[in-house]
Amino acid sequence: AVNNETGAKSGISAIVTATLVMLVLLFLTVIFEKLPLAVLAAIVISGVLGLLDYTEAMHLFKVHKFDFVVWCISCLGTMFLGVEIG
């Protein structure tokens, strides 16, 4: 999600991002475990919202309604049922 939002193109950006995430989880876990679950959920939701392609959804709504319905069902299924089932 971070690489997608920043427009990174190379594989080195994935390595840098993974290293930073690893360091944050390694050293800041104590801070994160004291946060309420609602705060952690808000962090995850804000990251996921950046991955949704709203312009494509609006284009599908204007051009082909059935494809828009399929997009909505798959998006909601993935959010509420999980990646494997949805």
Side-chain angles (χ1 to χ4, degrees):
V2 174
N3 284 336
N4 189 28
E5 288 293 319
T6 58
K9 303 261 189 258
S10 70
I12 294 175
S13 64
I15 295 170
V16 171
T17 302
T19 304
L20 287 174
V21 168
M22 180 187 68
L23 290 174
V24 166
L25 290 177
L26 188 63
F27 295 112
L28 299 179
T29 304
V30 176
I31 296 171
F32 288 138
E33 73 182 5
K34 295 180 185 193
L35 288 175
L37 288 179
V39 174
L40 295 175
I43 293 170
V44 170
I45 289 171
S46 67
V48 170
L49 286 178
L51 296 175
L52 294 176
D53 192 3
Y54 295 111
T55 56
E56 181 67 25
M58 292 301 111
H59 174 72
L60 287 174
F61 182 74
K62 292 175 188 172
V63 174
H64 200 262
K65 303 276 194 249
F66 181 73
D67 285 345
F68 175 74
V69 170
V70 170
W71 185 89
C72 288
I73 290 171
S74 64
C75 185
L76 291 172
T78 303
M79 279 194 274
F80 293 112
L81 299 175
V83 176
E84 293 175 359
I85 297 172

